[in-house]
Amino acid sequence: QVHLQESGPGLVKPSETLSLTCNVSGDSISTHYWSWIRQPPGKGLEWIGYLHYSGNNNYNPSLKSRVIISIDTSKNQFSLQLTSVTAADTAVYFCASGGHSDWLDPWGQGTLVTVSS
Amino acid sequence: DIQMTQSPSSLSASLGDRVTITCRASQNINNDLNWYQQKPGKAPKVLIAAASSLQTGVPSRFSGSGSGTEFALTISSLQPEDFATYYCQQSYNTPLTFGQGTRLDIK
């Protein structure tokens, strides 16, 4: 059974870089596409982007200039970096399997990141 | 971007009721439509993939239908654990986009 777990700082200062990691267990990270999704408090879901270990990636144009998704096959994990954050980037960030012409399943439990000085 | 519009945005219903949530895409997405259930403080869970494919472990009271631009999620007989927020999501092309959500609560 595949399990995903996000980790990273819960508080980031404005203009700094948000960095999160998703640890994957129960499957090889080389097998699938992997996505990041976020959800501002009390609001809906926004797909951030996906990555495959082959290097094929795709980012939401609304965030593309500030996003990097990377993968570490040796640790079976993938990461999200979002630069120049503002209060508008405050959200619960989820990692998930899939996103390349398919559904997102499973998801990590999510981690709240607050952007504040 | 493909816009996904759900209706209603909120819905009150009773145990045992049959409810239907609709999702409209701004362009043809074939059957590349997925439905998720999200409970407070939890991650979304996929219920239906590819418009009508019930996912493993999901109760048979859930069903999905539609193609092209019009889709529906039906719950045949509401159970206590079904009160949650439901989202549709298109996987036809990127960026992946979600509907705004339908909050289903107890009448």
Side-chain angles (χ1 to χ4, degrees), chain B residues 36-68:
Chain B
Y36 299 85
Q37 177 193 67
Q38 186 179 32
K39 296 182 178 179
K42 300 295 186 181
K45 169 191 168 185
V46 65
L47 302 174
I48 303 284
S52 60
S53 177
L54 191 68
Q55 294 302 284
T56 303
V58 177
S60 59
R61 62 181 179 273
F62 291 92
S63 63
S65 62
S67 66

Side-chain angles (χ1 to χ4, degrees), chain A residues 22-98:
Chain A
C22 182
N23 188 67
V24 178
S25 58
D27 200 358
S28 169
I29 203 162
S30 303
T31 307
H32 305 288
Y33 282 78
W34 305 94
S35 285
W36 286 97
I37 307 99
R38 70 180 184 178
Q39 184 173 38
K43 296 188 178 180
L45 299 160
E46 180 182 34
W47 176 76
I48 298 170
Y50 68 55
L51 176 66
H52 188 260
Y53 87 101
S54 64
N56 183 22
N57 60 35
N58 194 303
Y59 300 145
N60 194 320
S62 67
L63 298 167
K64 187 173 183 177
S65 64
R66 299 194 291 130
V67 170
I68 298 174
I69 299 176
S70 58
I71 200 163
D72 187 336
T73 55
S74 67
K75 295 181 179 179
N76 220 49
Q77 60 187 205
F78 63 107
S79 300
L80 169 69
Q81 288 186 290
L82 181 65
T83 63
S84 304
V85 297
T86 70
D89 295 309
T90 293
V92 175
Y93 286 76
F94 297 99
C95 58
S97 176

